[in-house]
Amino acid sequence: MGEPKKSVSIPLSKGALLVTLGVVYGDIGTSPMYVLKSIIAGNGGINQVNDELILGSLSLIIWTLTLLTTIKYVLVAMKADNHGEGGIFSLFSLVKKFGKWLIVPAMVGGAALLADGILTPAVTVTTAVEGLRSIPKIYGILGDDQTRIVIITLIIIGILFMIQRAGTSVIGKAFGPIMMIWFLFLAVVGVFNMGDNLDILRAFNPLRGIRLLFNNEMNKEGIMILGSVFLATTGAEALYSDMGHVGKTNIYATWPFVKICLILNYLGQGAWLIQNKNNVALAKIEDVNPFFEMLPTQVRIVAVLLSTLAAIIASQALITGSFTLVSEATRLDLMPRMKIRYPSETKGQLYIPLVNTVMMVLCFSVVIYFRSSARLESAYGLAITMTMLMTTVLLYTYLRKIKKKRIMPIVFLLLFGGLECCFFASSLTKFFHGGYVALLIAIVLFGIMLVWHYGTSIERSQANYFYIKKYLSMFEELRSDESLPLTTDNLVYITHNTQDDIIDRDVLYSIFNKKPKRAKAYWIVSVIVTEEPFTNKYTVDNFGTDYIFRVRLYLGFKVHQRINVYLRQIVTDLIKSNELYPQKPKYSIYGTGGNVGNFRFCILRKMLSPESDITSVGRWTISIKYAIRHVAGTQIQWYGLESSSIIIEYVPLFVKMKTVDHLVRVDNL
């Protein structure tokens, strides 16, 4: 009981295929809106492009999608599933036993992925809204005033974050069909613009892309063009991360369709650029976007509406993914526990209010700071290259240590590690143009994980547990000692330890040493969240007494954890079964006919004493960890104890104490 169930692979079905399109491909599916736009801007605008630049860029895009997305993620990474679950933290869970240092790439990758989740809504929604300017009538209203674009973007993003608390299961059902229409639209407009220009198919030759990297006459950016090319595959990590939500077979079945649609659209944009490279009217448009400009005027409004919906779906996937990522980081002791809500009956759909608020504020700040999609693209991509690099390191360990391969892991590391290092280096050229923002967000998040992990390891090194049965006589003596005031009828401690026969030293220290607390009954309670949404069960061990109770609450992930309510019910059950004496209240506005007495919850908070013999780094780490915990919330909020009677006690974090000089008594000075 209480052990998590192994995930069952989601079978292949029409419904699951649609869900996969809506959940997995939002990010990578919106890339055609800005990839070639970024490449053109980096080379000086549409009047500076040439056939070799376009064909070479398309070749780089096609082979980047093939190598990084198809081969690395679809064919290799998705084999490294943890009971059907994917993602960098699931992968780390598989390989962490092979080296303590592996926590570093896991933290770096997780932090960068969260930073990407903040930037994606800003980039995709801004780009889609800017597409309104490609419609003459709407351009007449908006003009070149970027402030209006920013306001519309902020409204859309604000609504997106606000609806998270209500859950997205209802509107989420529409995501699949919308993304199906979106990908078909990409393919159709791509083929339409290709027309009979079969020369564009020369882009499939990988040598064109390689030559372009070293041809400074045709490509002003040189190898640094890879920073823009990489934007075509920023959503590749989602194929692995979302594997547990949709099932790997459904990703295997849908990726070929998605890839074909993406490539056809890129080829259509390339054909249009070659045809219009000398267009004087287009050269006058600042920051021209071939994705929208290649469409007939009457179709552009449809494209803008579809692209806005696709951008919202991509953003929704990243926001939900961020909630899941933080939840996984919490379970790995890389982040503090936070209040989690489950708006629907599906465990994968969770909502973390604090994370939602922080992401919304940061997303707003990024949009207001950068203002345009062109500047946002400079910040985008750098963070996700770090995630991909770290995933490569962990996959190398997986292939070598778990799969017991010899040559393949080395080839894998050299090929994909080398490629991603090139992408990372080229993305670093954007550092002073906005890339520093993504890096700063990732560094802050990495810092939080590092502090939490190191601080937790210090705490655990001091953790001590004792067998409850050894202290039964002391409990009996304390509760019978009428020289001490009665603290409460029921004294409750909530602990993370789930073993029945042991108790945390801090609990014993609080009961006996801090200030002896006499009570009629002592309750040691643990909460175990189950895989089912509405589990309501408990176990209890009384150690042969009628005053010490070890309770384990098994609550479904959707059940509100109001421990005070459940304990009152448990006390009633135990009184009925004669395991606990009735607790007749002497005074009550409801009369004295009840059998359940009062409760007090003792919340223990660790603290460092000045005498603790700990390094300055360790002291700072613990101090910062406790400050983070204060912001993230407390047990009072997690367990709905705001209206309960609370005792808050600070117990020392027992580390080696400094040697104190011995005092010498003197008569006079």
Side-chain angles (χ1 to χ4, degrees):
M1 183 188 277
E3 291 296 318
K5 294 182 179 179
K6 291 185 177 182
S7 298
V8 179
S9 181
I10 299 172
L12 188 70
S13 68
K14 291 180 181 178
L17 292 175
L18 275 178
V19 170
T20 302
L21 288 175
V23 171
V24 176
Y25 301 111
D27 192 3
I28 202 168
T30 52
S31 298
M33 290 196 293
Y34 45 77
V35 175
L36 281 169
K37 170 176 170 282
S38 178
I39 291 173
I40 294 166
N43 272 273
I46 193 170
N47 59 331
Q48 299 294 318
V49 304
N50 54 76
D51 291 9
E52 288 303 317
L53 172 65
I54 299 305
L55 290 171
S57 297
L58 290 174
S59 176
L60 289 171
I61 291 169
I62 291 168
W63 286 101
T64 296
L65 281 171
T66 301
L67 289 171
L68 286 185
T69 311
T70 303
I71 296 178
K72 178 187 172 181
Y73 281 100
V74 177
L75 298 181
V76 179
M78 285 175 59
K79 303 289 186 185
D81 67 294
N82 190 348
H83 301 307
E85 297 292 330
I88 193 160
F89 285 141
S90 291
L91 180 58
F92 166 69
S93 297
L94 287 174
V95 301
K96 63 182 180 181
K97 61 185 176 183
F98 298 111
K100 292 182 179 180
W101 65 273
L102 291 168
I103 189 68
V104 176
M107 288 192 293
V108 172
L113 199 55
L114 283 170
D116 180 62
I118 292 166
L119 292 172
T120 295
V123 175
T124 54
V125 176
T126 303
T127 304
V129 172
E130 283 179 348
L132 290 168
R133 286 196 176 126
S134 65
I135 304 167
K137 289 184 179 179
I138 298 179
Y139 178 75
I141 299 171
L142 294 176
D144 293 319
D145 186 1
Q146 189 65 19
T147 301
R148 296 177 182 178
I149 297 292
V150 170
I151 291 171
I152 296 171
T153 302
L154 291 177
I155 290 171
I156 293 173
I157 291 175
I159 293 171
L160 181 63
F161 277 104
M162 283 190 288
I163 64 172
Q164 298 303 315
R165 68 179 66 244
T168 55
S169 58
V170 177
I171 60 173
K173 293 176 183 176
F175 285 179
I178 290 172
M179 290 306 293
M180 168 70 84
I181 295 169
W182 169 253
F183 284 118
L184 289 173
F185 176 79
L186 291 180
V188 170
V189 298
V191 172
F192 175 78
N193 280 277
M194 285 169 59
D196 56 357
N197 182 7
L198 297 181
D199 284 347
I200 200 71
L201 299 179
R202 291 182 294 168
F204 282 96
N205 182 355
L207 296 178
R208 285 191 171 276
I210 295 171
R211 285 200 298 265
L212 182 70
L213 294 176
F214 305 100
N215 189 335
N216 292 327
E217 291 183 9
M218 298 296 179
N219 169 27
K220 295 179 181 178
E221 288 191 294
I223 197 170
M224 297 309 168
I225 196 176
L226 290 174
S228 296
V229 171
F230 181 76
L231 297 177
T233 191
T234 51
E237 186 77 24
L239 275 72
Y240 184 39
S241 300
D242 293 328
M243 182 169 63
H245 295 147
V246 298
K248 64 171 67 176
T249 54
N250 291 296
I251 295 177
Y252 288 145
T254 51
W255 171 240
F257 164 74
V258 170
K259 184 181 178 183
I260 290 168
C261 293
L262 290 172
I263 290 175
L264 286 175
N265 190 266
Y266 284 124
L267 292 174
Q269 289 186 53
W272 180 86
L273 283 167
I274 290 173
Q275 186 179 352
N276 291 275
K277 60 189 175 185
N278 298 316
N279 190 312
V280 178
L282 288 171
K284 294 178 181 178
I285 299 176
E286 185 180 354
D287 203 22
V288 65
N289 190 337
F291 178 80
F292 291 108
E293 295 296 338
M294 73 175 179
L295 300 171
T297 306
Q298 59 271 27
V299 179
R300 287 179 191 170
I301 185 64
V302 177
V304 171
L305 290 174
L306 270 176
S307 62
T308 302
L309 287 172
I312 290 171
I313 291 169
S315 303
Q316 173 61 46
L318 264 294
I319 294 168
T320 304
S322 297
F323 293 155
T324 303
L325 204 63
V326 170
S327 177
E328 290 174 348
T330 300
R331 288 196 292 271
L332 290 169
D333 282 324
L334 298 178
M335 277 194 168
R337 175 171 177 170
M338 287 170 256
K339 192 167 188 175
I340 299 178
R341 297 176 185 169
Y342 296 89
S344 75
E345 294 183 23
T346 305
K347 189 175 184 183
Q349 294 187 11
L350 48 85
Y351 168 67
I352 307 176
L354 180 61
V355 174
N356 192 67
T357 302
V358 170
M359 286 185 68
M360 182 173 68
V361 170
L362 288 176
C363 201
F364 278 2
S365 302
V366 165
V367 172
I368 293 169
Y369 179 71
F370 287 105
R371 294 182 62 81
S372 70
S373 63
R375 293 189 64 205
L376 276 164
E377 287 156 14
S378 298
Y380 198 45
L382 182 58
I384 203 67
T385 55
M386 290 192 292
T387 299
M388 288 190 172
L389 260 171
M390 298 304 105
T391 302
T392 296
V393 172
L394 295 176
L395 281 171
Y396 164 79
T397 307
Y398 171 82
L399 291 170
R400 187 172 182 183
K401 298 293 186 179
I402 295 179
K403 289 299 183 181
K404 306 295 183 183
K405 305 289 185 183
R406 292 187 177 182
I407 305 299
M408 182 184 174
I410 298 172
V411 174
F412 179 85
L413 183 63
L414 291 176
L415 174 60
F416 292 104
L419 275 173
E420 286 155 0
C421 282
C422 290
F423 282 120
F424 181 70
S426 60
S427 295
L428 277 176
T429 59
K430 302 177 179 181
F431 182 83
F432 293 107
H433 301 286
Y436 61 88
V437 172
L439 206 57
L440 180 62
I441 294 172
I443 288 172
V444 170
L445 291 168
F446 174 75
I448 291 172
M449 291 184 188
L450 186 62
V451 164
W452 200 263
H453 176 69
Y454 183 46
T456 301
S457 68
I458 293 174
E459 288 179 333
R460 284 183 174 172
S461 69
Q462 303 302 315
N464 237 329
Y465 297 96
F466 299 99
Y467 286 101
I468 297 178
K469 290 182 178 180
K470 289 185 178 181
Y471 294 86
L472 293 183
S473 59
M474 194 179 294
F475 274 103
E476 173 64 30
E477 187 176 344
L478 174 60
R479 67 187 293 269
S480 303
D481 188 354
E482 295 187 359
S483 67
L484 295 172
L486 187 68
T487 303
T488 182
D489 292 327
N490 298 283
L491 185 61
V492 185
Y493 289 86
I494 303 170
T495 71
H496 297 299
N497 170 49
T498 58
Q499 295 184 52
D500 282 332
D501 56 345
I502 61 174
I503 189 169
D504 194 303
R505 173 189 55 192
D506 292 338
V507 174
L508 292 174
Y509 181 86
S510 170
I511 294 172
F512 297 117
N513 292 60
K514 189 75 175 177
K515 179 183 178 182
K517 298 173 181 64
R518 188 164 71 93
K520 292 181 180 178
Y522 298 89
W523 302 84
I524 315 300
V525 181
S526 300
V527 178
I528 297 104
V529 179
T530 67
E531 298 290 319
E532 290 75 31
F534 297 109
T535 305
N536 276 292
K537 296 178 181 179
Y538 73 91
T539 63
V540 62
D541 189 351
N542 60 17
F543 307 101
T545 74
D546 58 3
Y547 52 85
I548 299 178
F549 298 94
R550 183 69 176 88
V551 176
R552 294 203 289 183
L553 286 170
Y554 296 90
L555 302 178
F557 63 81
K558 200 163 164 46
V559 174
H560 193 23
Q561 297 176 5
R562 296 192 65 84
I563 290 183
N564 53 348
V565 176
Y566 290 118
L567 269 181
R568 187 166 289 274
Q569 178 194 322
I570 292 170
V571 170
T572 302
D573 290 348
L574 294 179
I575 290 173
K576 287 180 179 177
S577 63
N578 295 319
E579 294 174 78
L580 176 66
Y581 281 111
Q583 302 170 340
K584 298 282 186 182
K586 190 173 181 181
Y587 304 102
S588 173
I589 61 172
Y590 303 109
T592 58
N595 286 327
V596 180
N598 53 45
F599 291 82
R600 293 196 79 176
F601 293 83
C602 192
I603 306 298
L604 301 180
R605 295 178 181 171
K606 292 181 182 292
M607 61 173 290
L608 275 174
S609 63
E611 294 79 20
S612 298
D613 190 7
I614 187 173
T615 64
S616 57
V617 173
R619 184 176 293 277
W620 274 104
T621 300
I622 291 293
S623 299
I624 295 171
K625 177 182 176 178
Y626 291 169
I628 294 170
R629 185 177 61 189
H630 179 73
V631 173
T634 66
Q635 288 178 320
I636 297 172
Q637 297 164 317
W638 304 336
Y639 299 124
L641 303 176
E642 291 89 347
S643 60
S644 300
S645 178
I646 302 291
I647 301 172
I648 297 177
E649 284 192 348
Y650 291 89
V651 295
L653 177 63
F654 290 97
V655 293
K656 184 182 176 184
M657 306 304 284
K658 295 177 183 175
T659 303
V660 180
D661 293 334
H662 183 70
L663 290 174
V664 178
R665 178 178 176 178
V666 296
D667 293 332
N668 231 329
L669 286 178

